[in-house]
Each structure stands twice: as C-alpha cells, then as structure tokens.
C-alpha cells in the first residue's frame, strides 16, 4: 500500500547521556529508548497516521519501530550508540507528510526516516529527503512509481530518488497476484472495479484490471468513491445491475468495509476483494452485513506462521503495547533494523564513530544491508525495493481474516 522516520544525532558526554524509558514511548507520544548509555544518541523517527481512521495501522508501525530500538539498545547492537524514536503523525495526508519532511530535513543531525504508510504521502516527502541525502524506508508503500519512476509500466524503469527504500513489495506484483487468484482460484469472471482516487488505490486497481482482462476476465464496470465519505449506495447499485460476480476495491479499509456492506445490502451477494489496504480487522468491523468470503491480498506471508517472527511476536506482547502490531508491524521492525544496520556499518567503517557526512554514508550503506529479519531475508535491489517478494491471499471466515494462499515471486 501502501500504501506505509527520522534519525537525530546528538553527541553527549558519557556521564550525561539522555535516555527515554519504554514507558515514555507508549504513554507520551512515541519517544522511546533503552539503557545503552553513553556515546552518541541516534533517534529513529516514525512518520505514520497516529490518529484518524488509519491509526490502527499507524500505531502498529510506531510500536514496532520502538521495539526494534529497544532491542538494539538492550543488545548494544552498535557500540557507543543509543537509539531512540520520535513519532510524527502525518494524519494520512500528503500536506502533513510534506510538512513533517521539511521539519526533519531542517534538523541538521537527522539521518533517516521510517515511513510513511501511504504512497500518496510518500510522494510529497521523497524529493525533500533526497535533496538532503536523508534515508527513507517505508514498511508499507506499494506504488511502483515511488522507486521505479513514472514510466515503469512501459518497462522504462528509473530510480527517481536514491534515498528511498521499502520493505513491502510493490503493486506490480500485488495487483497481478490478486487478479490471478480471483480469476483462476476463485473462478470469478466478471468483476466490477472501484477505487478511492488516491495514489495507492487507483494504481493498484489499474494493475489488477489490466491483469484480469489479460487472463480473459471481464471488467463489467468501474467507479470511484471519495475518502472519508460513507454513502456508497450509488456505486453499490451500479454493481448490482452490472451482473458482476465480484468486486475489486483499490483503497483502504474504512471505505472498503462500508463498500462491502452496502453492496450486500443492495442485494449483490458477491465477494469484495482488495489489497493490503483493506487487510485489517477494522475492515470487518466497518461492515454491518456479514462479509464472510471477502478477500484481501497482503505483502509477505502470515507473520504468525513465520519462524523468523516468533521472537518479535513474543517481545511485542511482553512490551505491553496498547495497540496490535497490525499488518505492517514486522515490516516496520525490519525497516528500523535496516537503518540500525546501516548506522552500524557506517560507525564500524569510521573507527567507531559517525562521520561528518553521516547522512550520505547511511544511504550508501543501506544499499548493502542484508540480514534475516522478522519477515524473512531483508535486502534491497537497485531500485531500493525489497528483494523479499512474498504475498498472501486472506479470506474472511467466521468473522476473521484467514490466510488461504501464499506465494513467493521471482524476477
């Protein structure tokens, strides 16, 4: 998706190092740290929607980065460096995201950014980060143009910003994966496609539509809805009269859940499918009608079934976070850990301290990062995209998301 923060350096005296407790992280807006006192303090910021309709995802991102920071400090991952976080709320809006980017760039000691959730928000931030050589790693952005340029669809891929990385795979893969599942596995031949007019939703819907038609399916109608509106009865009626046997929605769970509800209330007892933007328990809660049979794709494999994620799940639970790690928790932890590993490499290459051009050096080091993370092997290709191209289809069964198919893609 996602549609899906910041590193501040402060050199302090060994006897006067500033520390923030984990309690402060959860109860005071997202500032967290540990007890690796002394030396240099590095702050990993989080830019995500911490309030509003997408806060369920944003809080999971923030908390997972906080956990990565605490783990690094506990293990003294980078000798002489204490990590902390500073969480910023972008409210899922590009204007706020751009303001946050300007704020971060203006802090001369900022080294990197984890976030944001939304591809549209990321578009407003990338150029500012790139001009400042400030590393950005998103755990949730899926729009291909962010890393491969606007002409990626014609095969002319060109990385627009050297500072941009992501741990989530792109909609090029997600949209095609969804179309193949709906056409071949679910046996649906006539789909009505709806999008929310946002960067993530519209882009994903187009990729899905193109692949569905290529496979031999029919797109029997298309429509769009507006984010934060709640009455989609007009679209629901169009779907009912179209003869569609399924709906594909490019967008987020607040609108997706309501659309599913209203399609069924209109009398069309057909499944709604979407991307990772709807894969959240809130999608199910948003629908007053039972929506068993609805489908979603999401990046990666079910984290609860990955042997690499066992400790993350245990530590997150032990951390006492008030919100679940949600769909992007594992990818957020890995995004933060990739920055930590880049800082570690830069420090090791400079006699145990950060160089004057730390921003540029961290960006260079990011391209070589490679480790076994919560979500599996973490590394980045020449576009800054994750090399871990795994996806899963989930279906609502008995009022809960259940994984039904997972697949790994090779280039």
């Amino acid at each position: 998706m996602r549609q899906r923060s910041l590193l501040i350096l402060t050199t302090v005296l060994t006897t006067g190092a500033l520390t923030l407790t984990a309690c402060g992280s959860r109860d005071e807006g997202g500032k967290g740290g540990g007890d690796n006192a002394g030396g240099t303090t590095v702050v990993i910021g989080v830019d995500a929607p911490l309030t509003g309709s997408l806060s369920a995802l944003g809080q999971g991102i923030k908390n997972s980065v906080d956990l990565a920071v605490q783990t690094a400090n506990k293990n003294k991952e980078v000798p002489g460096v204490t990590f902390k976080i500073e969480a910023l709320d972008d409210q899922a809006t590009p204007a706020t995201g751009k303001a946050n980017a300007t704020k971060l760039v203006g802090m001369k000691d900022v080294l990197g950014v984890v976030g944001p959730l939304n591809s549209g928000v990321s578009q407003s931030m990338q150029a500012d980060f790139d001009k400042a050589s400030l590393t950005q790693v998103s755990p949730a952005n899926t729009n291909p143009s962010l890393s491969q340029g606007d002409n990626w669809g014609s095969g002319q891929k060109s990385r627009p910003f050297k500072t941009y990385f992501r741990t989530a795979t792109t909609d090029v893969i997600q949209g095609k994966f969804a179309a193949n599942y709906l056409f071949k596995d679910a046996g649906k031949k006539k789909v009505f496609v709806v999008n929310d007019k946002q960067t993530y939703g519209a882009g994903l819907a187009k990729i899905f539509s193109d692949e569905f038609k290529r496979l031999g399916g029919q797109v029997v109608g298309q429509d769009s809805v507006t984010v934060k509106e709640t009455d989609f009865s007009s679209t629901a009626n169009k779907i009912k009269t179209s003869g569609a046997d399924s709906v594909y929605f490019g967008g987020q769970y607040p609108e997706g859940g309501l659309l599913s509800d209203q399609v069924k209330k209109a009398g069309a007892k057909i499944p709604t499918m979407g991307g990772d933007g709807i894969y959240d328990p809130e999608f199910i809660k948003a629908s007053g009608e039972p929506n068993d049979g609805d489908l979603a794709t999401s990046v990666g494999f079910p984290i609860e079934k990955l042997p690499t994620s066992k400790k993350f799940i245990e530590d997150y639970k032990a951390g006492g976070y008030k919100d679940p790690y949600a769909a992007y928790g594992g990818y957020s932890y890995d995004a933060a850990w990739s920055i930590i590993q880049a800082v570690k490499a830069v420090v090791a290459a400079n006699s145990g301290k950060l160089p004057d051009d730390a921003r540029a050096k961290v960006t260079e080091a990011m391209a070589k990062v490679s480790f076994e993370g919560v979500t599996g092997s973490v590394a980045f290709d020449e576009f800054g995209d994750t090399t871990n191209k795994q996806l899963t289809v989930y279906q609502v069964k008995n009022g809960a998301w259940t994984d039904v198919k997972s697949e790994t893609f090779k280039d």
Side-chain angles (χ1 to χ4, degrees):
M1 161 174 100
R2 291 113 149 202
Q3 317 123 357
R4 162 9 126 182
S5 293
L6 118 100
L7 288 173
I8 305 174
L9 289 179
T10 307
T11 304
V12 293
L13 295 176
T14 301
T15 57
L18 175 66
T19 60
L20 293 175
T21 65
C23 178
S25 165
R26 299 174 192 108
D27 298 337
E28 298 175 15
K31 297 181 180 180
D35 56 3
N36 188 16
T40 299
T41 298
V42 172
V43 178
I44 299 181
V46 182
D47 181 88
L50 304 179
T51 58
S53 61
L54 297 179
S55 61
L57 298 175
Q59 291 293 335
I61 291 172
K62 180 196 74 174
N63 294 341
S64 299
V65 174
D66 179 76
L67 181 58
V69 162
Q70 293 190 61
T71 302
N73 290 339
K74 179 181 178 181
N75 298 341
K76 295 181 171 54
E77 187 69 21
V78 184
V81 172
T82 297
F83 292 94
K84 297 177 184 175
I85 76 166
E86 180 70 32
L88 300 178
D89 181 9
D90 63 30
Q91 302 172 27
T93 61
T96 305
K98 182 170 180 56
N100 287 347
T102 300
K103 179 179 179 181
L104 302 181
V105 168
M107 301 174 185
K108 64 179 181 179
D109 293 328
V110 174
L111 291 187
V113 176
V114 172
L117 169 73
N118 305 87
S119 293
V121 175
S122 197
Q123 283 182 324
S124 72
M125 307 173 85
Q126 286 181 299
D128 288 340
F129 290 149
D130 191 68
K131 290 176 183 177
S133 298
L134 183 55
T135 295
Q136 173 190 4
V137 190
S138 173
N141 293 165
T142 55
N143 187 278
S145 64
L146 296 172
S147 58
Q148 300 175 19
D150 292 336
N151 297 320
W152 63 267
S154 62
Q156 300 177 3
K157 298 180 181 180
S158 178
R159 187 177 185 181
F161 303 108
K162 66 182 181 300
T163 52
Y164 181 80
F165 301 84
R166 55 177 144 199
T167 52
T169 196
T170 74
D171 289 333
V172 175
I173 296 174
Q174 182 172 206
K176 291 181 178 180
F177 180 52
N180 273 270
Y181 183 87
L182 194 64
F183 184 82
K184 296 179 180 178
D185 296 76
K188 303 301 181 183
K189 310 302 180 184
K190 298 180 179 180
V191 65
F192 194 105
V193 179
V194 184
N195 75 79
D196 65 358
K197 298 181 281 190
Q198 303 296 300
T199 300
Y200 160 72
L204 179 59
K206 184 180 187 307
I207 294 169
F208 167 87
S209 298
D210 290 346
E211 181 68 7
F212 195 80
K213 288 186 286 187
R214 189 191 70 80
L215 292 169
Q218 289 181 261
V219 176
V220 296
Q222 299 186 64
D223 203 1
S224 59
V225 298
T226 301
V227 171
K228 296 185 179 180
E229 288 192 356
T230 58
D231 183 2
F232 305 138
S233 56
S234 174
T235 298
N237 287 327
K238 291 177 184 177
I239 292 169
K240 179 186 176 182
T241 58
S242 71
D245 58 16
S246 53
V247 178
Y248 188 82
F249 176 64
Q252 308 280 358
Y253 61 76
E255 293 75 30
L258 290 174
L259 178 65
S260 172
D261 176 70
Q262 292 172 35
V263 166
K264 291 170 177 60
K265 285 179 177 176
K269 305 300 182 182
I270 58 178
T272 294
M273 186 180 199
D276 53 319
I278 74 167
Y279 174 58
D280 192 275
E282 294 298 321
F283 169 86
I284 300 171
K285 294 178 183 178
S287 177
E289 291 288 307
N291 51 7
D292 279 17
D294 284 353
L295 299 158
T297 53
S298 190
V299 295
F301 291 167
I303 191 171
E304 293 78 11
K305 296 185 178 181
L306 288 173
T308 52
S309 67
K310 183 178 180 181
K311 190 174 189 306
F312 165 77
I313 294 172
E314 292 174 349
D315 289 348
Y316 194 96
K317 182 177 180 180
Y321 296 104
K322 293 183 291 185
D323 300 282
Y325 49 78
Y328 302 103
Y331 298 93
S332 302
Y333 186 101
D334 286 346
W337 201 256
S338 68
I339 293 175
I340 291 168
Q341 292 305 303
V343 171
K344 182 177 182 178
V346 170
V347 168
N350 194 52
S351 303
K353 60 183 180 180
L354 284 162
D356 293 336
D357 59 344
R359 282 184 173 179
K361 285 293 193 292
V362 167
T363 295
E364 291 175 11
M366 283 293 299
K368 302 176 183 178
V369 162
S370 179
F371 61 92
E372 193 70 8
V374 172
T375 59
S377 298
V378 178
F380 305 100
D381 64 17
E382 68 271 29
F383 300 104
D385 287 331
T386 178
T387 58
N388 186 358
K389 297 178 172 63
Q390 300 172 336
L391 284 163
T392 298
V393 174
Y394 295 86
Q395 186 175 45
V396 180
K397 295 182 178 181
N398 298 318
W401 288 113
T402 302
D403 58 288
V404 293
K405 183 177 183 178
S406 295
E407 191 169 338
T408 299
F409 291 81
K410 301 292 184 182
D411 291 331

